Amino acid sequence: MGEQESNFYEFGRFRLDAGERVLRRDRELVPLTPKVFDILLALVERGGHLVEKDDLMKRVWPDTFVEEGNLTQNVSMLRKALGENPGSPQFIETVARRGYRFVAAVKAGEGALEFPGYTKIDSGSEDAPKPLVTELPKKNGHAAATAAELVAAAPAQPGIRNRILVFGLAAALIAVVGVVYFTGLGKAGSAAPIDSIAVLPFVDEAGGSDAQYLNDKIVDSLVNSLSKLPKLRVVPRSVVNNYRGKDIDPRQVGRELNVRAVVTGRVHRYGDTISIQADLIDVDNVAQIWGQLYDRKLADMLLVQEDISRDIFENLRLKLNVEEQKHLDAYRFYLKGRNAWNKRTADSLKQGVDFFQQSINTDPNYAPAYAGLADCYNMLVVYGASQPRDGFPKAKEAAIKALEIDENLAEAHSSLAFIKFRWDRDRVEAEREFLQAIKLKPNYAPAHQWYSSFLISLERVDEAIAEAKRTEELEPLAFTASSHLGWIYYLAGQSDRAIEQCTKILALDPNSFPARRYRGLAYEQKGMYREAIDEFQKGVKVSGSPLMLALLGHAYAASGQKSEAQRVLNELADLQNRRYVSSYTVGAIYAGLGDKDQAFKWLEKAYDERDVWLMNLKVDPVFAKIRSDKRFPDLLARAGLTP
C-alpha cells in the first residue's frame, strides 16, 4: 500500500489516525497541537528517510514565514508527547544542520480499531473468520456508532454479542473523546471560533520594578499584536490591569469581560535571557486550550510576543480571508524587521531591510514598514555599513512614502527628523519633525532618543539629558536606550555617570559594543587610557566596526602611543578600499596626535560627505584641543551648529 493511501500508522505503543488526526498511546489519547500533529504525520509518512528542515517547514507552515527555532520548539514538544529521552532517540533522530528522521519501525494500513487480544488477519482469505465488528457507522465523517448499532452489526455467534457490547461502548467512547478533543468541543464548549480574548497581567515571582516592567511590556506587546488579528476582540490592557495581584478565576473574568478565553503567563528573567510560560484558557470550563514555554534572549523581545501571538492565533480557529491574511503577514514581517533593527549590527540591519521589504512586498500600503526601512538605512550609515550619499537618500524616500500613506505615523516623522538633521542640516525642520513625532506618540522611545542627540549637539544639555532619561524610562530593559544615556552623559562632560551607566549594561550583556564605546570614551576623558584602550579593543572584536577601530586609534594617539595610532590609520586607509570609513573619525585620530592641519583636512572631507558624526563637532571632547583654531568656528557655522 502506498504512503498516501494509508490512514493508520502504528509504531511502538502508538497508533496514529491520519484521517481523524488522532494519536493514541495504547487506548489513551495523546494531546497534540495542530502543528505538532502535522510534523509527526510528515515524519511518519517518510519513516526511515531524512526529512529536510526546509521541506518540513513548507509543509507545516505553507503560507507563513517562520524561523527555524519555531520548528525546533515544535519537534521538542513532539518528543515530550512521545515520552522520548533526550539522549537516546527512540522515535525521532536529529540530523545535524539538515533535518529529522523517524527511526522507529512503522506499520501502515487502513485497519479498523483493534482491541487487546485481537489479531490482525488477511480478510481476503476464504478461511478467515468474520471480523468481530464491521466498520463503525459515521456521522459528519466521524465514528459515531451507538451501542445498539454495534450489537446489531455483530455476527450471531454464541457469547459474541456481550463482548461486542463492551468493546463497542469503549470504541465509541474513544472515538467521541477524540472528536471532542481535537475539534475543540471538549475545551471551548463548541467548535465555533474563539472571537474574544483578554490577556491577563503576567506574573513574576522575583518582583521588583524591572520585573514588573518586563511583565507589562510583554503584555502590552502581546495585546498590540493580537489586536492586529481580524475577527478577534481583544480587551485593552487598561481594563485587565484591574486583575493585577489578584487570585484570578477565569470563569469570573469571562463573565465580567464577556470573553471566550484568557491568556495567562509567568515570566522569569536571568541575565539577558527570559523564560515565558503562556497559556490559553477556555473560561467556560477552565480548561487549557494551549500552552507553551518560550526561552529567548532579552534582545528578541519583539519576536517572543510574535511567537506567542501566532501560536495563540493558530488555536483560536479563526478563518481569515486573503486580504486579512495579507495584512497579518505584513505586520509579522514588520515585527521581525524591528527586532533585527534593534540589534544595531551591520548584519542585523541588513536583515532588517530584507524583513521590511518583505512586509512591503506583502502589503505595499503598510506604512510602518516604510518607516522601518528608513530607520535601517539611517542606522547603516551611523554604524559605518553604508556611505551617507547611499543610505540617507534611500532613508528619506522611504520615510516620505510612509507619510504619504499615513501622515500621522510618529515613526515616520521621527525617521525624517533624523534625516533632516544629519543629512539636510536643517535644524528648524528637524526639531519640528521630532516634536511632531513625540506629540503623535509620546511613548515612542526612538523619537526621544534621537531628539536628545539633536539637543546635545546644540549644547542644550539639560534638555538632552531629560530626553535621554525619558528614553530609558520607556525602554529600561533595552540596551540601546540605556547605553544612549551613557553617550549623552559623556558628551555633557559627566564621565563618571557615563561609566556607571555603561557598566550596568555590560554586566548584563558583555557584547554590547555601544556600551563598550561610550565607557571607553569616558575612561579616556578621565585620563584612564589603559582602560579605554581595553574597551575599544574588545569593541573591535565584537563589532568589527571601523568606528571602534578609529576610537582605538584616537586613544593610542591621546595616550602618546603614536606608532600604534599610525598603525590604526594605515588599517583604516586599507579598509577604505572595501567599505565606508567615516572621515570624521579619521580626523579625530589626527586631532589626538596634535596634527591640526590633517585634522581639519579630514573634517572638511567629512563636511563634503555630510558625515553623520559631524553634527557632534561642537560638543565632542575628542576635538577639544583644536577648538581654539580660527578654522573651527567657520566649520561649525557651515554645518549649521551655531545660531
Side-chain angles (χ1 to χ4, degrees):
M1 178 177 295
E3 290 175 359
Q4 300 304 316
E5 297 174 347
S6 300
N7 294 321
F8 295 89
Y9 300 89
E10 295 178 351
F11 50 92
R13 298 166 54 194
F14 294 91
R15 180 178 177 84
L16 186 153
D17 183 339
E20 300 293 348
R21 294 181 62 81
V22 171
L23 176 69
R24 296 188 181 90
R25 179 190 292 107
D26 297 331
R27 304 284 288 278
E28 296 182 1
L29 285 167
V30 179
L32 300 176
T33 66
K35 297 302 182 187
V36 171
F37 186 92
D38 289 341
I39 291 171
L40 174 60
L41 182 58
L43 293 174
V44 168
E45 286 179 347
R46 294 279 296 158
H49 299 280
L50 171 67
V51 182
E52 299 280 354
K53 291 180 180 179
D54 287 345
D55 294 338
L56 198 51
M57 288 191 286
K58 287 176 183 176
R59 169 165 174 173
V60 178
W61 293 276
D63 302 317
T64 305
F65 173 84
V66 296
E67 295 185 337
E68 188 177 306
N70 223 47
L71 174 63
T72 304
Q73 284 185 2
N74 280 274
V75 171
S76 177
M77 292 169 61
L78 175 57
R79 283 181 164 134
K80 290 178 182 178
L82 296 176
E84 187 168 79
N85 295 323
S88 55
Q90 180 184 356
F91 300 103
I92 303 170
E93 176 188 33
T94 299
V95 181
R97 295 183 296 278
R98 294 191 61 189
Y100 302 94
R101 180 184 292 113
F102 199 82
V103 295
V106 177
K107 292 191 297 181
E110 291 182 345
L113 289 170
E114 299 175 20
F115 306 108
Y118 180 86
T119 302
K120 194 170 184 178
I121 57 174
D122 181 3
S123 59
S125 170
E126 294 182 0
D127 298 327
K130 297 297 182 184
L132 296 181
V133 185
T134 61
E135 181 179 359
L136 295 176
K138 294 192 175 185
K139 294 180 181 179
N140 298 323
H142 301 295
T146 64
E149 289 169 332
L150 289 167
V151 172
Q157 297 182 29
I160 288 293
R161 286 181 178 260
N162 289 337
R163 286 155 55 195
I164 288 303
L165 179 59
V166 175
F167 289 141
L169 286 170
L173 180 60
I174 290 172
V176 170
V177 170
V179 171
V180 168
Y181 192 92
F182 286 96
T183 59
L185 288 168
K187 290 188 170 187
S190 79
I194 294 173
D195 56 4
S196 55
I197 194 170
V199 183
L200 298 178
F202 279 24
V203 177
D204 190 324
E205 290 82 359
S209 58
D210 279 356
Q212 187 61 62
Y213 169 82
L214 179 60
N215 295 351
D216 290 347
K217 184 68 176 178
I218 293 170
V219 172
D220 273 343
S221 298
L222 192 52
V223 168
N224 290 339
S225 188
L226 289 171
S227 297
K228 302 288 184 181
L229 298 175
K231 299 184 173 71
L232 180 65
R233 179 175 67 85
V234 183
V235 177
R237 194 173 78 85
S238 58
V239 176
V240 298
N241 270 344
N242 297 326
Y243 296 94
R244 185 191 305 279
K246 298 180 180 179
D247 291 331
I248 297 172
D249 180 351
R251 288 168 293 190
Q252 181 181 350
V253 173
R255 290 193 299 270
E256 293 176 352
L257 301 181
N258 189 28
V259 293
R260 289 278 311 278
V262 297
V263 178
T264 63
R266 292 183 175 273
V267 181
H268 179 65
R269 175 186 171 191
Y270 38 98
D272 65 341
T273 301
I274 54 173
S275 181
I276 304 172
Q277 173 65 44
D279 299 289
L280 180 64
I281 308 296
D282 162 41
V283 298
D284 289 338
N285 53 21
V286 196
Q288 183 182 41
I289 301 172
W290 161 89
Q292 177 70 37
L293 178 66
Y294 301 84
D295 288 313
R296 294 288 192 279
K297 292 293 184 182
L298 205 57
D300 289 326
M301 277 280 293
L302 282 175
L303 288 188
V304 176
Q305 59 97 354
E306 155 61 2
D307 289 344
I308 297 174
S309 65
R310 183 184 60 242
D311 291 343
I312 289 174
F313 174 72
E314 289 179 352
N315 287 275
L316 295 179
R317 300 186 292 276
L318 294 173
K319 300 296 184 182
L320 305 184
N321 61 36
V322 174
E323 194 67 20
E324 290 167 338
Q325 186 64 52
K326 181 179 72 173
H327 291 319
L328 182 58
D329 290 342
Y331 173 67
R332 286 173 171 169
F333 281 126
Y334 171 77
L335 283 182
K336 293 178 188 299
R338 279 297 178 191
N339 190 72
W341 172 76
N342 273 331
K343 296 179 180 180
R344 296 296 204 276
T345 65
D347 288 343
S348 66
L349 290 169
K350 291 174 183 177
Q351 186 181 47
V353 169
D354 291 339
F355 281 129
F356 288 130
Q357 193 59 59
Q358 288 182 72
S359 179
I360 291 168
N361 292 343
T362 303
D363 183 358
N365 291 315
Y366 191 62
Y370 290 98
L373 195 59
D375 288 342
C376 278
Y377 285 133
N378 281 337
M379 291 302 107
L380 282 168
V381 175
V382 168
Y383 290 101
S386 178
Q387 295 197 35
R389 66 171 180 266
D390 295 329
F392 279 136
K394 292 178 181 178
K396 191 172 186 177
E397 180 183 2
I400 291 173
K401 177 65 176 178
L403 290 172
E404 288 175 355
I405 298 172
D406 183 358
E407 63 180 8
N408 293 318
L409 185 64
E411 290 86 343
H413 283 286
S414 185
S415 306
L416 189 58
F418 190 96
I419 299 161
K420 289 287 185 182
F421 181 52
R422 300 285 181 178
W423 177 248
D424 293 342
R425 295 172 180 161
D426 188 336
R427 288 167 47 188
V428 174
E429 280 298 303
E431 185 159 23
R432 188 184 72 81
E433 291 291 344
F434 277 130
L435 294 176
Q436 179 69 0
I438 292 171
K439 178 182 177 181
L440 289 169
K441 194 172 183 179
N443 292 335
Y444 183 53
H448 294 278
Q449 176 184 338
W450 295 336
Y451 187 39
S452 72
S453 292
F454 170 88
L455 292 167
I456 197 67
S457 70
L458 301 176
E459 296 184 298
R460 293 161 63 177
V461 176
D462 292 340
E463 293 175 83
I465 292 175
E467 288 295 323
K469 286 183 175 179
R470 179 60 177 152
T471 303
E472 189 183 39
E473 288 171 3
L474 292 171
E475 298 285 353
L477 298 178
F479 299 142
T480 300
S482 296
S483 60
H484 177 76
L485 179 56
W487 168 241
I488 298 300
Y489 280 143
Y490 161 72
L491 292 177
Q494 301 179 26
S495 296
D496 287 334
R497 298 180 75 177
I499 291 170
E500 179 184 1
Q501 181 72 14
C502 294
T503 299
K504 290 191 301 184
I505 299 166
L506 291 170
L508 294 174
D509 182 11
N511 293 323
S512 174
F513 78 89
R516 293 260 176 228
R517 173 190 170 200
Y518 306 144
R519 189 165 76 166
L521 285 167
Y523 279 141
E524 186 181 302
Q525 286 307 298
K526 289 174 66 68
M528 301 168 65
Y529 296 115
R530 181 175 58 82
E531 290 83 356
I533 289 169
D534 181 61
E535 292 294 341
F536 296 140
Q537 287 175 336
K538 290 177 180 176
V540 170
K541 289 180 180 178
V542 170
S543 68
S545 168
L547 172 62
M548 293 298 291
L549 182 59
L551 292 174
L552 176 61
H554 180 271
Y556 282 138
S559 64
Q561 301 180 54
K562 294 186 177 182
S563 61
E564 289 297 313
Q566 187 59 54
R567 179 181 60 79
V568 171
L569 284 169
N570 294 337
E571 288 185 44
L572 291 172
D574 182 58
L575 272 176
Q576 281 183 313
N577 297 323
R578 303 192 303 274
R579 61 179 297 182
Y580 174 66
V581 174
S582 165
S583 296
Y584 179 90
T585 62
V586 176
I589 299 176
Y590 282 112
L593 288 169
D595 189 339
K596 292 185 179 181
D597 289 340
Q598 281 294 322
F600 276 103
K601 173 187 173 182
W602 283 93
L603 285 175
E604 286 292 342
K605 189 176 181 182
Y607 173 81
D608 291 338
E609 295 173 348
R610 301 193 193 189
D611 191 299
V612 67
W613 298 111
L614 188 67
M615 305 312 285
N616 298 322
L617 183 61
K618 192 174 185 179
V619 294
D620 195 341
V622 301
F623 289 103
K625 292 181 180 180
I626 68 170
R627 285 178 185 159
S628 59
D629 190 286
K630 63 181 180 181
R631 291 169 287 187
F632 197 79
D634 175 65
L635 184 57
L636 288 179
R638 284 185 285 129
L641 294 171
T642 54

